[in-house]
Amino acid sequence: MKLSTLSVPYRAVRRAVRLVVPIAFAAFSGMTVLPAGVGAIVAGVIVGSVFLLIGGWELAYYRRFDYELTGETLDIRSGVVARRNREIPLRRVQNVDISRNVLERLLGIAAVSFETAGGGETEATLRYVDFEEAKRLQREVARLKRGGSPTDVEEGAEPSGDRADEPEPEELFAVTSRELALLGLLSFDLRVPGLLVLVLTGSVPVLSSFVPDIGLDGQSLGAVLASWGALVVGVLLFSWAAGATVAVLNFYGFRLDRVGDELQYERGLLRRYDGSIPLEKIQTLTVEDTPLKRAAGYATLRIETAGYAAGGGGGREEAATAVPLATRDRVFALANAIEPFGEPAFERPPGRARQRYAFRYLLALGGVTAVLYGLDRWLAGAPSVPAPIAGPVATLAAVPWYAPVALVPVLAAAAHLKWTHRGWWLGPDHAVTRNGVWRRQLKVVPYYRVQTVIDTRTVFQRRRRLATVTIDTAGSLSVLGSDAAAVDVDAGTADRVRSELSDRLRRSVLEYRERRRAERLRALAVDEGPAQEHGEPRAPDAEPADDRSTESDGRRGAEDDGERSVDADGEGALDAVDEDADDAEDDGNDGDDRDGEAATDVAEDGAADRGAGDDGVGSGERSRSHTE
Amino acid sequence: MNRLDPRVRLVWVARSLLGAGVLGVGAAVVARVFDAPLWAAAGIATAVVLLAVVHAVLRYRVWRYELREDALYLERGVLTQVRTVVPFVRIQHVDSSRSPVERLVGLGSTVVYTAGSRGADVTIPGLTPRGADQLRERLKQLAIAADSEDAV
C-alpha cells in the first residue's frame, strides 16, 4: 500500500516552511551585497532550487514508501537512500493513534502511529494516509489481533462477513458541552504560575517593572502588599485562562467507546486524535482530582498502557486520559468497569507521619524566619544596598521578620491534609494507593501488573520507623515519577506489604495461566473447524525464527537502517522458551493449532503463558541480543 | 542473605577517585581564576575521597541480596535504605558484566532487567566473575522455571 498522494505536496510544503523560510531570509539578506536586480535573481534561484529539491525528495519518499498489513505483521518498507524494512508483529502493538490537524482534516489525510512497549518512542508512523485508510488500519489491527483472517485489500472489496465479526461500539463516555465548560473552569494549571514566577524572578528588571516605585525611601506596607497581591492575582488569572484553553482544545468532542476488547477515543478541537487502547494492555488506572474538582464532585480518569509515547502529541497525560472530567461516581463506575477493584477501604499512614510533615514544614518556616531576621539585622546596620536588588530587599524588609509565625496554623492544617490524603489498600485483585493534596492521585494496580516492589527508607523516615513502598509497573506515566506508592507506612507494615505484593503477583500469574489454559482447551475442543475456515496459508516451521528477528529489529529503532540482522539463533534457553511462547501464542490467537498434538499442548501452554502473560510489556524482546 | 565480595569497596572507591580527580581539576581552575590558594582545591578533592571511602565501607556493610522462593531480594543504601523485590516471573533478561575497574580488581556484576519503568535495571555488583556468571545462569533458570512451573 502507498501513502496518500496528497502526502507529497503536504509534506513538501511542511518541510519547505521549516526549511525555506530561514534559507530565503539568509539568501535575500546575503544577496544585498550584490547589485539589487542580480541579488534578487540569485536569491530567487537558490530558494527555487531548494524548493525543487524538497519536492523531489518528498516524491522519492512517497515512491519508496510501502506498507502492508499482513495477517500477523505490519510491514513497512521505507527510506530514500538508506532503506529500512520493518515488520511489527500485530500482537505487540499497544495502541494505534490517528492524529489530524486542521489542514490535514481539510485535505482528508491523517498521520497514523503504532505504539509498542519497546522504549519510549513510537514504533512506526505513517505520514500521511487518507483518513478512511487510517480508520481501516485501526479497525483491521484490532480485528486481526482478535484472530480474524486478513482481508484482501488489494482487491478493494471488503468481504461481507468482515464487518459482521466486528463488535458494536458501546459508548462509555462522551463529554457534554457543560462538562467541557466545567473542565475549562476547573483546569487550573499549576505549572503555569510556576513557570511565570520562574520567568519573572529570572530577570529582576522585569520584576521591578511589575512592582515599581518601591525604594528604601519608604512605601507603606499596604502599598507593597497590594502591588504584590495584584501581581499574584494576575498570574493566577492568566494561568487559569491558559489551563482552560488547553483543556478545551485538547478535550473538545471527547468520546470513549468500547469496541470488543479495545477502548477507542476521539478528542481535540484543532488537532483531532483517534486512538485505541487494548484492554489487556492496561497497566494502571489513575483517578485524579484537584481541590477545585473535589469541591465540585468531579474527577479525571487516566489509563496507562506500556510504552505509550505521547499518543502523537499533547503530552503523555492528555494521551492517557480516558475521561477528562465526570462526576466522581461516574468515574469510579467506569474505572470499575475496566478494572473491577471495588470500593477501596484505605488505610492511612500512622499518626507519626503527620508529625513528620508538620516538622518538615515548621523547619522550612523556621528557615524563612531566620532569613528575614538576618536581613532585618543586616539592614539595621544600614549598609548600602546594591541597586539591582534594592527593590526586592526593601519589599522583604517591609515584612516584619516574625510575620511567618502567623502561618503556623496554616502549616499544621497543611500537614494534616497531606496526611489525610494519603492511603493504601490491598484489594482482592488490585493494590490501590492515594497521594497528593493539590493533585490527588488514586492509582489502581492489578497485582498481575506488578513488576518490582521497592521499599525505600530515608534517614528521616527511619527516625520515625516509616517506609515507602513503591509498586513499579510497566506503565509509561510512571516515568514522570508518579508511581503507585504507599508512602510513610509503618516499617513493619511495609515489610508485610512487600512480601504480600510479591505473593499476590505470583498467585495472580497462576490464576491467569489457569484461565488461559482453560480458554485454550475450550477453544481446541470447539474448533478443529473454524481454524481451517480461515485457511491461512502458513509455513509454520519458518515462522518463529522470522518472527524473532523482525521483532528485535523493529525494536532497535530508527538508527538501524541496515538489513534485517538475523539474531534469531536463539542459543540460550530463555530464547528458546520465548520462541516457543511466541509460536504457541500465535496458534492460540489464530485458533489454529500447528500440529494438534495434545502431548505438546501442555508444555506449549506453559510457554505460551509467558508470551501472553507478559504481553502488556512485550515479553523480553528488548535488547535480546545481550542475552546469552 | 548473601554479602558482596569485600573487594567491591575498592571498585567504588576507584570510581569516586575518578570523580574526585575531575572535581579537583575543576576546583583548581576556579581557584586559579579567582586567585584562591590551590590547596583549597586539593582539600575539596581530598574531602570528597574521604567521604567516598566512608560511604563505600558503609555501603558494603548494608548490601545484601538473596534468592528467595519466587523473587530476587536486594537490600542496599546508606542514607536511603532500599529493598527491592524482583519476582522471577518478571525478569526479562539477565546480563553479567565487567567494567574495566571491576576487571582490574577481579570482580564482575550481574544485571537483571524487568519491563518496569523505574528500578527496572537491578545491578548486583561485587561478585567474582565466576559468581556473576553462576548467578546469571541461576536467575535465568529460575525465570524459566517461574514461567513454566505449571506446565507439568
Side-chain angles (χ1 to χ4, degrees):
Chain A
M1 299 281 288
K2 286 284 182 193
L3 297 175
S4 161
T5 41
L6 277 174
S7 72
V8 180
Y10 182 69
R11 285 177 61 100
V13 168
R14 267 180 71 107
R15 191 180 287 267
V17 168
R18 277 209 306 271
L19 210 63
V20 163
V21 172
I23 287 179
F25 185 75
F28 279 104
S29 56
M31 291 308 151
T32 47
V33 291
L34 295 176
V38 183
I41 292 170
V42 172
V45 167
I46 292 177
V47 170
S49 51
V50 167
F51 198 86
L52 274 181
L53 265 177
I54 292 175
W57 176 271
E58 293 302 345
L59 188 63
Y61 180 88
Y62 167 78
R63 292 181 62 103
R64 305 270 281 168
F65 195 103
D66 204 12
Y67 69 90
E68 193 184 352
L69 204 57
T70 70
E72 278 146 20
T73 57
L74 171 72
D75 302 353
I76 298 177
R77 284 172 292 281
S78 64
V80 176
V81 179
R83 294 286 286 165
R84 174 164 66 212
N85 293 352
R86 177 175 281 195
E87 296 179 18
I88 307 168
L90 291 183
R91 75 199 133 77
R92 291 284 181 249
V93 173
Q94 302 262 345
N95 318 79
V96 182
D97 294 314
I98 304 172
S99 93
R100 298 175 291 157
N101 63 24
V102 178
L103 203 56
E104 289 159 16
R105 263 188 287 168
L106 281 177
L107 294 171
I109 56 179
V112 187
S113 41
F114 299 86
E115 310 281 347
T116 62
E121 67 191 60
T122 300
E123 192 68 55
T125 309
L126 303 179
R127 293 204 175 87
Y128 296 83
V129 294
D130 291 330
F131 180 59
E132 278 309 307
E133 169 68 5
K135 289 302 278 183
R136 187 192 71 88
L137 282 171
Q138 202 177 46
R139 259 197 331 264
E140 278 290 295
V141 169
R143 204 177 56 78
L144 290 171
K145 270 161 74 180
R146 282 196 301 273
S149 63
T151 48
D152 210 344
V153 282
E154 303 297 334
E155 286 170 16
E158 279 197 4
S160 53
D162 186 34
R163 282 299 181 100
D165 68 350
E166 176 158 318
E168 279 294 302
E170 168 202 350
E171 183 181 287
L172 293 180
F173 179 80
V175 77
T176 62
S177 39
R178 186 171 161 274
E179 279 165 335
L180 192 68
L182 206 58
L183 175 68
L185 281 179
L186 298 180
S187 292
F188 178 75
D189 197 339
L190 275 175
R191 283 167 294 187
V192 179
L195 206 69
L196 279 179
V197 165
L198 207 72
V199 169
L200 291 182
T201 53
S203 65
V204 178
V206 173
L207 190 74
S208 35
S209 76
F210 269 96
V211 193
D213 299 337
I214 305 170
L216 278 174
D217 45 0
Q219 279 261 339
S220 70
L221 178 62
V224 171
L225 287 184
S227 56
W228 275 95
L231 179 62
V232 167
V233 169
V235 166
L236 287 184
L237 277 179
F238 179 78
S239 8
W240 201 326
T245 313
V246 169
V248 169
L249 287 184
N250 265 328
F251 295 114
Y252 176 83
F254 184 97
R255 57 177 285 148
L256 181 76
D257 289 335
R258 183 181 180 146
V259 185
D261 44 12
E262 274 197 345
L263 299 176
Q264 290 190 353
Y265 64 85
E266 274 179 52
R267 65 182 177 89
L269 180 62
L270 294 182
R271 185 175 267 279
R272 194 115 183 104
Y273 296 97
D274 282 67
S276 65
I277 308 167
L279 283 173
E280 54 165 336
K281 309 269 186 196
I282 291 174
Q283 299 282 328
T284 58
L285 299 182
T286 307
V287 178
E288 190 179 295
D289 53 23
T290 60
L292 278 178
K293 287 181 186 172
R294 270 204 296 283
Y298 283 83
T300 300
L301 176 68
R302 301 190 204 289
I303 296 178
E304 276 177 58
T305 57
Y308 208 154
R316 282 167 190 270
E317 296 196 348
E318 281 78 9
T321 300
V323 175
L325 188 78
T327 56
R328 273 192 83 71
D329 295 344
R330 191 142 172 235
V331 165
F332 271 94
L334 267 175
N336 260 305
I338 296 167
E339 280 289 346
F341 58 92
E343 186 69 36
F346 285 110
E347 189 167 322
R348 278 199 191 129
R352 53 186 190 278
R354 182 168 47 178
Q355 288 165 26
R356 187 178 161 231
Y357 306 143
F359 187 70
R360 193 197 285 167
Y361 292 153
L362 283 177
L363 219 59
L365 194 73
V368 172
T369 315
V371 166
L372 281 179
Y373 181 71
L375 195 70
D376 218 46
R377 301 299 301 172
W378 182 56
L379 286 177
S384 57
V385 181
I389 59 162
V393 165
T395 314
L396 281 178
V399 182
W401 65 267
Y402 45 83
V405 177
L407 289 176
V408 167
V410 178
L411 292 191
H416 177 72
L417 280 177
K418 194 182 178 76
W419 178 72
T420 50
H421 283 80
R422 285 209 198 287
W424 58 274
W425 180 63
L426 298 185
D429 295 311
H430 302 81
V432 186
T433 67
R434 189 178 66 180
N435 288 300
V437 177
W438 293 110
R439 237 169 76 122
R440 184 170 68 172
Q441 290 190 321
L442 185 142
K443 296 222 165 222
V444 180
V445 183
Y447 293 130
Y448 183 65
R449 295 300 183 194
V450 173
Q451 287 285 334
T452 54
V453 181
I454 307 156
D455 170 337
T456 52
R457 301 165 190 202
T458 65
V459 180
F460 308 106
Q461 279 179 313
R462 286 207 294 276
R463 270 168 48 93
R464 294 179 197 269
R465 286 178 292 110
L466 296 173
T468 296
V469 181
T470 308
I471 307 167
D472 189 27
T473 65
S476 47
L477 281 181
S478 321
V479 176
L480 304 175
S482 53
D483 282 299
V487 182
D488 285 334
V489 297
D490 176 74
T493 315
D495 290 336
R496 194 168 55 74
V497 169
R498 216 173 48 221
S499 56
E500 184 84 346
L501 278 171
S502 92
D503 208 44
R504 298 213 187 177
L505 163 66
R506 202 190 46 179
R507 263 185 277 155
S508 68
V509 168
L510 288 179
E511 264 169 40
Y512 183 87
R513 284 179 187 160
E514 280 304 317
R515 216 168 54 232
R516 287 283 298 193
R517 185 189 324 194
E519 271 169 24
R520 185 158 151 69
L521 286 177
R522 216 177 308 130
L524 273 179
V526 178
D527 82 6
E528 290 315 20
Q532 310 297 320
E533 249 172 46
H534 293 312
E536 300 155 54
R538 305 174 66 201
D541 293 333
E543 209 98 353
D546 200 30
D547 215 8
R548 164 93 314 78
S549 66
T550 61
E551 250 168 65
S552 37
D553 194 48
R555 211 158 291 278
R556 208 163 292 136
E559 291 82 11
D560 182 8
D561 46 10
E563 289 288 296
R564 281 203 281 133
S565 63
V566 183
D567 54 355
D569 23 31
E571 330 89 314
L574 245 175
D575 270 5
V577 165
D578 246 12
E579 246 162 57
D580 273 352
D582 292 334
D583 193 25
E585 203 204 347
D586 274 355
D587 291 342
N589 279 353
D590 298 342
D592 166 6
D593 197 43
R594 186 162 42 130
D595 42 22
E597 277 176 33
T600 57
D601 268 348
V602 186
E604 242 179 51
D605 242 357
D609 285 330
R610 176 177 174 117
D614 293 354
D615 224 358
V617 294
S619 158
E621 257 81 30
R622 273 192 275 180
S623 30
R624 168 166 307 280
S625 46
H626 297 305
T627 322
E628 272 189 35
Chain B
M1 295 286 259
N2 304 298
R3 302 190 64 171
L4 307 180
D5 190 295
R7 279 174 294 170
V8 74
R9 288 173 293 187
L10 287 179
V11 176
W12 289 332
V13 169
R15 253 181 228 156
S16 59
L17 276 181
L18 204 71
V22 172
L23 193 79
V25 169
V29 168
V30 171
R32 198 71 179 178
V33 171
F34 288 98
D35 247 6
L38 272 180
W39 57 259
I44 290 176
T46 316
V48 168
V49 171
L50 281 179
L51 273 178
V53 170
V54 172
H55 188 253
V57 170
L58 292 176
R59 195 172 164 194
Y60 166 71
R61 274 201 201 153
V62 291
W63 234 108
R64 303 269 193 289
Y65 72 93
E66 187 179 38
L67 294 180
R68 293 193 171 162
E69 188 192 344
D70 53 358
L72 168 68
Y73 176 75
L74 309 165
E75 227 179 274
R76 62 201 190 279
V78 177
L79 288 178
T80 300
Q81 281 179 1
V82 183
R83 291 152 209 224
T84 312
V85 182
V86 187
F88 295 139
V89 230
R90 287 299 182 232
I91 294 179
Q92 298 264 336
H93 66 274
V94 194
D95 283 355
S96 55
S97 72
R98 301 185 71 193
S99 70
V101 180
E102 283 176 323
R103 276 207 296 271
L104 217 62
V105 184
L107 290 177
S109 330
T110 299
V111 190
V112 179
Y113 296 86
T114 69
S117 50
R118 65 178 255 175
D121 309 340
V122 178
T123 307
I124 305 172
L127 303 163
T128 60
R130 236 176 88 80
D133 288 344
Q134 279 170 352
L135 184 61
R136 190 198 62 215
E137 282 302 307
R138 182 95 191 94
L139 282 171
K140 186 185 82 182
Q141 280 158 9
L142 286 167
I144 294 168
D147 269 341
S148 51
E149 60 189 3
D150 59 335
V152 272

